[in-house]
Structure formats: C-alpha cells, structure tokens
Amino acid sequence: MITRKTNPAFLNGVPEMLLLELLARRPMYGYELVQTIRAATGGELEFGEGCVYPILHRLESQKLLAAAKESVAGRKRVVYRITAKGKTQLAHTVCAWQRVVNSVNHALQGGERGRAAMA
Amino acid sequence: MDARQWLEQVRGELGRRKLPPFYAERLVEELSDHLTDFLEDRMSTDAKDLHGVFHRLGSPATVAATAAGEFRKQRFSRRHPVLVFVVMPIATLALLWASAIFLFASAAGIVSWLTTGREEHFPEWLVAGMPVFASAIVLAPIALTAVFFCRIAGRAAVGWKWPAGACLMLAIIGGAAFFDMKISSIDRGLIHGTQFRDVSPPPPPTGSMMFGFGLNTRPRPWQILQFTVPLAICACFIWRQANHRRQHVLAG
C-alpha cells in the first residue's frame, strides 16, 4: 500500500511504524496524518490514502491507538492518539528497524573487510 | 463520478466482502471526512480535483480489499477458526453443563434447607419438577453456547459455514445428551415399600443422578428439542446476516 506502483516486501510493517511515530509526536486525524507522512518522508513514500484508515482501525483494535470524535477547526473529526502500549510497541519496532537497516547497510558496504568481501 | 457515488461504491465493495455493517459505516464516514478535508484544502469542487482525490484515495475495490485484509488481522476468531468454532464450542458446552448441574444441586440444597430444615430432604414440588429441571439443565447450555458462537461469528464476519458447523456439532452432541435425576421427597420416603412417615429421624432420601450420551430408536421429546434448538438459532443467525447484507448492498 505504500510506493507509487508496487509494495516491496521489505516495506511490510513500515506504514504501522510511521503512523505510530507521527501520532507519538501529536494526535492527528486521518487527512492530517496522510499529509504529514508525505511531508515527513519528503514525498518518497505515498500512501493509498484510503488504505490508511483500515490500518488505523486495526491499530486501535490492538489498543496501540485510541480514537475519539473531537471538534477540529469547527468540524467533528475522528482524532487518533497513541496509547502507552503503542509507545512501547513503537520503541520495539524502531529498534528492530534500526537493526535491520544497520545490518543491511553493513552488508552492502562489504562488511568489515570492505568491498573485497563482496567479490 | 461525484463523492457520494465513490463512497457508495466503497460501501458496496465492503458489503460484497461481507464486512460487518458497523465497520463499513465507520470507514465510509472517515473517508467522507477525508474527501471533505481535501476539497476544503483546495477550496474547490471541480471534477478534475475530485478525480485527483479519488486517484489518491485508491479505487473502491482497493480500499475495500485493504479493509478486508486488515479486519481479518484484527480478529482471533478469523485467524483461528478451527479453535474458535470447533474446539471451543465443545469445551464451552461441557463447562456450562458442569456449572448448571453444580448450581442446580447447590440451589436445590439451599431451597430444601429453607423449606424442610434439612438440605437433603427435598420438597414435593422440587421432586415433581425434576424431569423439567433436568431437561432445562441440558437444553439451556446448548442454546446459550449456540447463541454465543453465532454472535462471535457475526462480529468476526466469518460467513455462515463456521457457525453452521459449530451449531451442527452442538445439535449432535446436545441431541444425544440426557440427564436423569430421581430423588425421593421427605413425604415419600420409601425403603423396601415401607413408609417411614412418623419415624424419627426420617430415613435419608434415596436418589440417583445420571448424565450421559445415548440415542434411542424413539428419542424423547426433549432430545429432539436439544437437537433442533441450536440448528434453529443458527438458521436465525444466517437469515439475519443475509438480511443485513441485502440492506447494505441496496443502500450502496
């Protein structure tokens, strides 16, 4: 559901992580969240905007988020906030992501022996 | 296509994927808010802008497919249907039967103690009603279990086959179950044909309690009821689901 044309397998779990991270900064409603993702990723990652809501609903059912109807800019909107459990989950997910990114980068750079190790 | 039409298509796609109406309505409402926010941002209701937002939202089929996938991940019963609709009904029924027998025995003891002063001497009306109580002890847990698992199936939107299978299993097990209680009352204490009305202390009442499974070539009326009640509950559930879905698709 991310990217322009395809959804590479290595991006599984990334939407949830981004949503939790942005909601950890401040509560937001759906449209605001989508715009913030676009801005935060420099336009590199684009969500099928309609597909954000099912993910938000699932995260809410898992008690990682809480949703409530609030008045925002004169209109009633469903605003999402991260829960304590969501913050814990986010910390674990980010940690795992960093480990994966570091080890892949390490491998791509040839490991400890430099490029010769890749030959 | 305008916003209302796009939203109705999403609603229809969600209904076709058998997602529960409460879930579909919430999603459609939030998508409607999203559309309004987008158009307010651009301060426009141009067809070109609308087309742009529909492209960004994704097609109704894509949105509904994602919703169905995410909904499936939410529910334990959708991830483990065999555990929930095959194993748990049997375990639940056994637990409810055991609880019902225990509760009845405790209640009968308390009632007897209150009315006769001794908990093992049951009043006449209790003894006379034993066959009815015994049948209710078997039937009520069957009905409650069928209703419970049909409700779980409804909320998880697992379709009709899993709850139908669970109810058929309950019907077969329930239809074969019987529970017999025979207890004598204080006024009818009979041992070897001699009445001990005025002898003190009165002899302890005799009785037996038997719970088992068996089929007769001429099943008892209560056993027929025990077989048909879960099937009737399942039929009601399937009919209601079909009705809801029909209304949902018509509204779309």
Side-chain angles (χ1 to χ4, degrees):
Chain A
M1 63 155 276
I2 295 189
T3 80
R4 294 180 179 95
K5 298 275 185 231
T6 60
N7 183 15
F10 62 77
L11 288 180
N12 284 343
V14 169
E16 291 84 347
M17 185 175 64
L18 285 177
L19 290 170
L20 288 174
E21 171 59 34
L22 293 174
L23 288 170
R25 297 178 194 174
R26 60 187 172 94
M28 285 184 261
Y29 55 92
Y31 182 73
E32 191 182 7
L33 207 40
V34 165
Q35 304 301 81
T36 308
I37 289 172
R38 193 193 303 279
T41 60
E44 266 310 306
L45 295 180
E46 289 180 2
F47 280 91
E49 293 179 13
C51 300
V52 161
Y53 294 97
I55 297 180
L56 288 170
H57 297 164
R58 174 172 54 85
L59 294 175
E60 188 194 355
S61 77
Q62 293 170 337
K63 307 278 190 275
L64 302 178
L65 298 179
K69 262 199 169 163
E70 294 176 13
S71 193
V72 179
R75 262 183 52 215
K76 285 276 185 196
R77 291 182 169 92
V78 178
V79 175
Y80 293 89
R81 337 181 106 70
I82 195 166
T83 59
K85 187 177 173 188
K87 287 179 185 167
T88 308
Q89 176 66 26
L90 174 62
H92 289 145
T93 310
V94 167
C95 200
W97 171 260
Q98 293 290 6
R99 275 203 309 273
V100 167
V101 165
N102 290 342
S103 31
V104 169
N105 281 340
H106 193 63
L108 289 175
Q109 286 155 15
E112 273 146 357
R113 289 185 230 155
R115 287 195 183 273
M118 297 290 284
Chain B
M1 175 167 39
D2 64 15
R4 194 190 62 86
Q5 286 170 326
W6 188 87
L7 290 169
E8 293 306 324
Q9 281 188 11
V10 170
R11 192 183 268 115
E13 289 289 338
L14 293 170
R16 263 185 279 284
R17 283 166 177 78
K18 297 178 184 156
L19 289 169
F22 69 87
Y23 183 82
E25 281 316 307
R26 182 184 172 182
L27 179 58
V28 167
E29 195 183 328
E30 289 194 65
L31 289 169
S32 172
D33 287 343
H34 190 104
L35 277 166
T36 309
D37 285 328
F38 179 87
L39 292 171
E40 275 179 5
D41 242 5
R42 278 144 190 77
M43 295 169 72
S44 155
T45 50
D46 260 12
K48 196 170 132 198
D49 282 327
L50 271 177
H51 180 73
V53 76
F54 296 150
H55 176 74
R56 280 164 54 158
L57 281 167
S59 67
T62 304
V63 173
T66 304
E70 293 298 324
F71 185 77
R72 204 171 294 126
K73 287 183 205 173
Q74 281 183 33
R75 299 276 169 172
F76 181 83
S77 49
R78 288 184 75 104
R79 297 196 307 273
H80 307 284
V82 172
L83 179 64
V84 173
F85 294 106
V86 176
V87 176
M88 281 176 62
I90 300 173
T92 305
L93 187 57
L95 191 64
L96 284 178
W97 272 335
S99 306
I101 292 169
F102 174 76
L103 284 171
F104 176 76
S106 307
I110 292 170
V111 164
S112 303
W113 182 75
L114 288 172
T115 53
T116 66
R118 295 184 66 167
E119 66 177 38
E120 68 272 20
H121 288 154
F122 301 107
E124 186 73 34
W125 60 266
L126 189 60
V127 174
M130 281 298 177
V132 176
F133 295 135
S135 301
I137 283 169
V138 178
L139 183 61
I142 296 170
L144 285 172
T145 307
V147 167
F148 179 68
F149 283 94
C150 283
R151 281 186 64 90
I152 288 181
R155 289 194 67 83
V158 292
W160 64 269
K161 289 180 186 162
W162 283 110
C167 288
L168 181 63
M169 209 167 49
L170 290 172
I172 292 169
I173 295 172
F178 64 88
F179 181 49
D180 273 336
M181 283 190 295
K182 286 188 178 61
I183 296 176
S184 59
S185 71
I186 187 172
D187 290 337
R188 291 195 285 134
L190 286 171
I191 296 180
H192 304 304
T194 309
Q195 227 169 350
F196 286 86
R197 192 182 284 277
D198 298 317
V199 172
S200 150
T206 58
S208 65
M209 197 186 291
M210 185 165 55
F211 187 99
F213 298 91
L215 289 172
N216 210 321
T217 48
R218 291 177 66 185
R220 307 177 206 188
W222 278 103
Q223 281 188 296
I224 295 173
L225 205 57
Q226 283 157 209
F227 180 77
T228 54
V229 159
L231 298 178
I233 289 170
C234 183
C236 272
F237 162 76
I238 292 172
W239 177 80
R240 278 184 66 181
Q241 292 293 104
N243 238 16
H244 279 148
R245 211 169 299 125
R246 207 172 11 251
Q247 284 168 7
H248 208 55
V249 171
L250 284 174

